[in-house]
Amino acid sequence: MTMKTPFNRPFVVGPEFKYLADAISRGHSAGDGYYTRQCADLLMAQSGAKSVLLTTSCTSALEMSALLLDIQPGDEVIMPSYTFVSTANAFVLRGARPVFVDIREDTLNLDERLLEDAMTEKTRAIVPVHYGGVSCEMDTILEIANRHGVAVVEDAAQGVNATYKGQWLGTMGHIGAWSFHETKNIICGEGGALVVNDPQYLERAEIIREKGTNRSRFLRGQVDKYTWVDVGGSFLMSDLLAAFLYGQVEHMEAITSRRQKIWNRYHEALQPLAESGAVQLPVVPDGCVTNCHMYAIRVSDERTRSQMIDSLKQRGILAVFHYVPLHRSPMAESQGWSNVDLPITEREAARVLRLPLFPELSESDQDEVLGALSDSVGCDLVA
């Protein structure tokens, strides 16, 4: 069934196709070409990151982080269960055990107050996931990690151009990971970036990204030939994708501004539903600036959510739920990782309802979404 108002629609700013044509004319469409370097440099300038390595996906960046940390079988990595499967898979592929902790009621981010109790002598890393472009409580997380001598890998897949106390998400931990998937704010279809904030990992990150070779040093003229020196994979983003991405990154503020306008309009219009107790609106704590990646309300229970999704779908509007908690997955059950008590995760995961939000969403489309929500709960809304 084709939706009149989809949940997401990829957005083209303007110069992407010109840059694609230019990349082709330059005769280099593989990784680490002209646009790869231009785009990485621009992202570093905008974010303040020490090093940005464009990758095939955020999943690839997370897998690289597990290799960089030399994660071994039996190691433990702390993360929320309320996240995408890549957060866990990156470390499970190295033989690690994901240690799931509960989330906060307000932001649905990892609850930093539970970290100390989750840590053991096997803990190697903490993976905070910045849900919906709203930051985790990074000061506390970093203090705990530093005190225990474990690494912090920020899963900032949804966090490009969002900040915590003035710092971009993904630039505060030892390593960060961004996504440029078509469902994110800044896109190139499929793509990501490894953000290397701790200099000790940089040279090896380049090697791992280049199939385990020292080719990056060769291209800089630091060695006269390159060869296999470590484990690695094919993690380089194509220069064609980097060219498309460069056009998006150039106009990042305009894209964010448009999303912010839509986000704010939802937030204002839905106040009556929140005051009536029909829904709970998203929370952005002090010190956090969201990139307005999504607008997610919470309803009373899973049954009500299903009814609202069906009601909107009948009017051609696609609203969706989000993650099934990982500890309730068949994989977790088969590995013995499901025997954890995460009451907030289970309760809130059943209540989340994400509304359509993309730069080309018109005010009339948004009014239809709001009208459908109003009808579904019997409460008048004024956009």
Side-chain angles (χ1 to χ4, degrees):
M1 178 180 179
T2 301
M3 293 290 112
K4 178 183 177 183
T5 305
F7 173 71
N8 178 70
R9 182 181 289 129
F11 179 61
V12 175
V13 187
E16 293 92 337
F17 298 120
K18 179 181 74 173
Y19 293 152
L20 273 170
D22 185 53
I24 293 169
S25 71
R26 288 174 181 272
H28 182 101
S29 61
D32 276 349
Y34 173 79
Y35 281 101
T36 302
R37 294 189 294 272
Q38 292 291 107
C39 193
D41 287 346
L42 184 55
L43 281 165
M44 283 189 285
Q46 292 178 333
S47 68
K50 295 181 177 66
S51 177
V52 172
L53 300 176
L54 297 184
T55 60
T56 50
S57 65
C58 186
T59 298
S60 295
L62 290 168
E63 290 175 2
M64 285 181 65
S65 74
L67 287 167
L68 281 170
L69 297 178
D70 197 26
I71 297 297
Q72 298 292 319
D75 289 344
E76 294 179 352
V77 178
I78 299 174
M79 64 186 68
S81 172
Y82 191 62
T83 184
F84 190 58
V85 64
S86 294
T87 311
N89 258 340
F91 300 93
V92 170
L93 280 168
R94 312 312 307 165
R97 175 188 177 90
V99 176
F100 298 122
V101 296
D102 217 344
I103 54 177
R104 294 168 47 141
E105 284 189 79
D106 55 356
T107 60
L108 305 186
N109 283 329
L110 176 151
D111 190 336
E112 69 281 358
R113 297 167 298 183
L114 304 177
L115 285 176
E116 298 267 19
D117 288 342
M119 298 187 78
T120 72
E121 68 279 359
K122 296 180 181 179
T123 303
R124 292 292 313 283
I126 299 169
V127 187
V129 179
H130 303 298
Y131 184 67
V134 176
S135 180
C136 296
E137 183 50 56
M138 289 303 296
D139 282 350
T140 302
I141 292 171
L142 290 168
E143 187 278 324
I144 291 171
N146 289 335
R147 181 154 38 85
H148 288 269
V150 301
V152 173
V153 178
E154 290 180 77
D155 184 337
Q158 301 172 357
V160 172
N161 203 25
T163 62
Y164 171 81
K165 298 183 178 180
Q167 292 182 272
W168 264 45
L169 308 191
T171 68
M172 293 169 280
H174 298 82
I175 302 168
W178 293 330
S179 174
F180 304 113
H181 185 270
E182 71 164 26
T183 57
K184 302 304 189 292
N185 294 27
I186 308 300
I187 65 171
C188 62
E190 290 275 2
L194 182 78
V195 187
V196 185
N197 305 311
D198 188 331
Q200 70 170 307
Y201 297 117
L202 180 54
E203 183 174 351
R204 189 162 186 244
E206 291 183 335
I207 291 169
I208 288 172
R209 180 169 166 267
E210 272 280 18
K211 300 95 174 165
T213 73
N214 57 348
R215 185 170 181 269
S216 294
R217 297 194 68 201
F218 169 72
L219 293 175
R220 290 194 294 264
Q222 295 172 323
V223 293
D224 60 1
K225 59 181 179 296
Y226 69 91
T227 186
W228 184 19
V229 296
D230 201 343
V231 295
S234 186
F235 295 122
L236 275 70
M237 177 187 287
S238 159
D239 213 52
L240 295 180
L241 292 180
F244 190 98
L245 182 62
Y246 184 61
Q248 295 257 317
V249 175
E250 277 189 324
H251 293 81
M252 183 181 299
E253 293 306 324
I255 294 171
T256 302
S257 177
R258 177 59 190 156
R259 298 183 74 97
Q260 186 176 49
K261 182 180 178 182
I262 297 167
W263 195 101
N264 288 341
R265 199 164 185 266
Y266 272 138
H267 206 62
E268 181 178 354
L270 289 169
Q271 292 299 326
L273 287 191
E275 291 167 4
S276 73
V279 303
Q280 182 178 337
L281 304 186
V283 174
V284 181
D286 291 343
C288 298
V289 176
T290 179
N291 60 3
C292 302
H293 171 62
M294 67 183 180
Y295 196 89
I297 61 176
R298 280 176 269 174
V299 300
S300 57
D301 52 41
E302 190 169 11
R303 181 171 174 271
T304 300
R305 181 179 69 183
S306 296
Q307 291 173 342
M308 292 178 75
I309 289 173
D310 289 342
S311 177
L312 267 64
K313 188 177 292 185
Q314 288 171 11
R315 294 174 64 158
I317 299 165
L318 183 60
V320 299
F321 59 87
H322 216 172
Y323 310 123
V324 175
L326 295 184
H327 75 288
R328 287 290 175 245
S329 67
M331 175 66 174
E333 291 178 2
S334 71
Q335 299 298 314
W337 302 332
S338 60
N339 188 27
V340 288
D341 185 25
L342 306 177
I344 297 175
T345 297
E346 294 184 12
R347 184 186 72 215
E348 300 306 315
R351 299 174 59 216
V352 170
L353 176 62
R354 297 185 293 158
L355 305 181
L357 199 167
F358 48 89
E360 291 180 312
L361 185 72
S362 68
E363 288 194 357
S364 61
D365 288 337
Q366 195 173 17
D367 287 343
E368 289 198 24
V369 175
L370 292 167
L373 284 173
S374 173
D375 292 346
S376 70
V377 298
C379 179
D380 290 335
L381 301 177
V382 179

